[in-house]
């Protein structure tokens, strides 16, 4: 009977993850369209294009509002709510779980701030929302500690699968990043929840391809480039994580975080007057590099500015993910490096180099190399022939990061 309860809970977590993915994605899109004034006629316009069309004054005003919401919202949550418990902390003490109302409000704050233009990622929100509902259900079913740990981890992956339409990458994410085990039961549970969540989300959101690269050809030149760029990206990703871990300087329960957040996001809004692509989780930058829609100079500028605004948002006390921001940093660095490579050696598609860079940077930065490779393949519908340069680049990056003590 116990096993039936567990598998029922896992299947239910998959359904919940799909529904959470639909609701949070639609909420974020509604906030984006309302804040930046696009999409009212029903025609599809990407967030990047919508932000670019908005006036500089509107961008600035929206980001000031975002800072007020980030600073004030999380200050109030710290002051009035129960202590926040992240998913990894919950996995260490699964029967303690996640506080329901605090987590729900925390998730909504993430979606609202990212929708308004916070440069952090959106993927943590659906993972936490699905996990908190799954924990509540698992507690009612009387699951034991090991069962609850498996349920929370799989629910977290289900949320990721739903918003990005990546069932296999989410399965690997659960096993590699959440559980760290590869037992038959864990693999089956991860697959079940990820596939169900993806299938449910597709009912409301469609079978969406997140990126449409212009050209993903693979050549011998790309293989050599991957071998060279891998260690460079590995070292850069380690440096990025070490800089990001220093923030915020002020604790979020200190009322001074509110004016700091307003100032930081106002500065981000001012910077967006020159670089609108930095707003949001980083998808805009990936669209430019994957599609070959920019040049190497602008690509390098986006690397520096995106890195800066991510640190500014973290300094302001904002929460959010680093998956897509990490991908953008990797893709812009690799795209710029590809231009130099093509001027010296046999030419290769810069778009392929950008995809390799995105995966490698993500894999090292978040310590999930296998997940990152499959994640990027599913996001871009890339040909399997791209696996070899991806693996070559990842191997070099992991070797370098390991020597730097980042394990």
């Amino acid at each position: 009977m116990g096993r039936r309860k567990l598998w029922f809970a896992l299947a239910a977590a998959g359904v919940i993850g799909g529904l959470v993915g639909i609701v949070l994605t639609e909420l974020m899109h509604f906030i984006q369209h309302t804040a930046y004034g696009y999409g009212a006629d029903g025609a599809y316009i990407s967030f990047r294009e919508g932000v670019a069309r908005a006036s500089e004054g509107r961008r600035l005003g929206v980001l000031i509002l975002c800072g007020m919401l980030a600073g004030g919202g999380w200050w109030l949550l710290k002051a009035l709510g129960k202590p926040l418990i992240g998913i990894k902390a919950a996995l260490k003490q699964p029967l303690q779980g996640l506080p329901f109302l605090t987590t729900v409000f925390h998730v909504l704050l993430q979606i609202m701030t990212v929708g308004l233009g916070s440069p952090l990622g959106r993927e943590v929100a659906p993972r936490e929302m699905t996990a908190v509902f799954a924990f509540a259900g698992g507690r009612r079913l009387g699951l034991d500690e090991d069962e609850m740990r498996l349920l929370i981890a799989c629910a977290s992956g289900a949320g990721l699968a739903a918003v990005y339409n990546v069932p296999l990458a989410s399965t690997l994410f659960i096993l590699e990043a959440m559980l760290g085990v590869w037992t038959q039961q864990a693999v089956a549970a991860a697959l079940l929840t990820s596939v169900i969540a993806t299938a449910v989300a597709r009912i409301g959101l469609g079978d969406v391809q997140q990126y449409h690269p212009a050209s993903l050809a693979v050549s011998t030149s790309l293989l050599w480039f991957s071998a060279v760029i891998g260690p460079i990206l590995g070292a850069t990703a380690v440096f990025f994580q070490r800089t990001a871990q220093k923030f915020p300087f002020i604790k979020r329960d200190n009322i001074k975080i509110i004016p700091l957040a307003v100032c930081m996001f106002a500065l981000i809004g001012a910077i967006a007057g020159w670089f609108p692509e930095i707003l949001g989780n980083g998808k805009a930058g990936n669209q430019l590099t994957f599609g070959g829609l920019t040049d190497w100079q602008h690509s390098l500028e986006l690397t520096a500015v995106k890195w800066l605004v991510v640190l500014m948002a973290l300094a302001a006390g904002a929460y959010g993910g680093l998956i897509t921001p990490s991908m953008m940093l990797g893709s812009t660095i690799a795209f710029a490096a590809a231009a130099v490579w093509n001027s010296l050696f046999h030419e290769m598609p810069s778009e392929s180099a950008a995809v390799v860079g995105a995966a490698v940077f993500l894999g090292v930065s978040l310590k999930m190399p296998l997940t990152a490779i499959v994640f990027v393949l599913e996001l871009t519908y890339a040909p399997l022939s791209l696996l070899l340069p991806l693996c070559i680049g990842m191997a070099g990056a992991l070797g370098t990061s390991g020597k730097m003590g980042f394990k």
Side-chain angles (χ1 to χ4, degrees):
M1 184 67 179
R3 287 182 62 83
R4 289 182 180 177
K5 285 184 178 180
L6 172 62
W7 290 100
F8 171 77
L10 289 165
V15 174
I16 292 168
L19 295 174
V20 165
I22 294 170
V23 172
L24 293 186
T25 298
E26 293 295 347
L27 174 61
M28 187 185 73
H29 289 165
F30 172 77
I31 293 169
Q32 290 173 333
H33 294 170
T34 303
Y36 292 98
Y38 70 96
D41 57 359
Y44 173 76
I45 300 175
S46 69
F47 180 64
R48 171 176 60 86
E49 295 168 317
V51 169
R53 293 182 184 183
S55 67
E56 293 182 10
R58 184 165 190 158
R59 290 178 214 159
L60 180 60
V62 171
L63 266 296
I64 290 173
L65 174 62
C66 183
M68 295 170 62
L69 187 62
W74 274 298
W75 177 79
L76 280 173
L77 198 61
K78 290 287 185 180
L80 304 177
K82 294 181 179 180
L84 276 171
I85 298 175
I87 293 173
K88 288 204 170 182
L91 291 175
K92 294 177 181 178
Q93 295 181 303
L95 294 181
Q96 179 181 339
L98 299 90
F100 189 83
L101 287 178
T102 299
T103 302
V104 170
F105 283 111
H106 172 59
V107 165
L108 293 176
L109 278 172
Q110 290 179 65
I111 291 297
M112 287 188 284
T113 53
V114 172
L116 290 172
S118 171
L120 301 176
R122 62 169 172 146
E123 74 279 349
V124 176
R127 289 174 49 219
E128 290 180 332
M129 185 74 91
T130 307
V132 77
F133 276 107
F135 168 72
R139 187 166 53 182
R140 284 183 174 274
L141 291 172
L143 300 184
D144 63 29
E145 184 172 346
D146 289 337
E147 291 171 336
M148 190 69 85
R149 180 179 293 107
L150 181 62
L151 176 62
I152 292 173
C154 289
S156 169
L160 182 69
V163 294
Y164 285 120
N165 194 26
V166 288
L168 183 55
S170 297
T171 300
L172 291 174
F173 174 79
I174 294 165
L175 300 169
E176 182 181 33
M178 294 288 98
L179 292 173
V181 299
W182 299 79
T183 63
Q184 185 178 28
Q185 182 186 50
V187 172
L191 274 170
L192 176 70
T193 50
S194 296
V195 169
I196 290 176
T198 305
V200 172
R202 286 180 180 180
I203 296 172
L205 302 175
D207 185 4
V208 179
Q209 180 179 344
Q210 299 292 332
Y211 298 102
H212 299 269
S215 172
L216 291 181
V218 176
S219 63
T220 303
S221 186
L222 178 64
L223 300 183
W224 284 109
F225 173 82
S226 300
V228 172
I229 199 66
I232 297 171
L233 289 172
T236 310
V238 172
F239 183 57
F240 170 67
Q241 272 299 331
R242 288 176 176 168
T243 57
Q245 289 168 3
K246 298 180 183 296
F247 300 100
F249 290 134
I250 301 176
K251 291 185 177 180
R252 293 179 178 92
D253 58 0
N254 188 329
I255 198 167
K256 293 179 181 178
I257 199 73
I258 299 175
L260 176 63
V262 174
C263 291
M264 284 295 185
F265 275 95
L267 284 173
I268 293 172
I271 293 169
W274 289 278
F275 300 98
E277 302 91 349
I278 63 167
L279 298 184
N281 61 2
K283 185 176 181 179
N286 291 331
Q287 287 172 328
L288 292 178
T289 55
F290 293 176
L293 303 174
T294 186
D295 55 44
W296 69 269
Q297 295 100 325
H298 188 55
S299 185
L300 272 185
E301 290 169 350
L302 288 178
T303 301
V305 178
K306 183 65 176 182
W307 193 316
L308 174 64
V309 296
V310 166
L311 297 185
M312 290 171 66
L314 294 174
Y319 283 93
L322 291 176
I323 286 182
T324 312
S326 294
M327 286 179 59
M328 177 175 170
L329 292 175
S331 73
T332 50
I333 292 170
F335 188 88
V340 178
W341 181 275
N342 285 339
S343 68
L344 299 173
F345 305 105
H346 289 297
E347 192 168 341
M348 61 171 182
S350 295
E351 298 86 350
S352 296
V355 171
V356 170
V360 170
F361 198 101
L362 172 62
V364 173
S365 179
L366 298 190
K367 300 180 181 179
M368 50 180 204
L370 298 180
T371 302
I373 289 172
V374 177
F375 186 70
V376 169
L377 288 175
E378 287 191 295
L379 288 177
T380 59
Y381 286 27
L384 291 179
S385 58
L386 201 64
L387 267 174
L388 184 55
L390 285 168
C391 292
I392 291 172
M394 192 69 76
L398 291 174
T400 303
S401 64
K403 289 181 179 180
M404 296 175 68
F406 193 73
K407 300 178 180 178

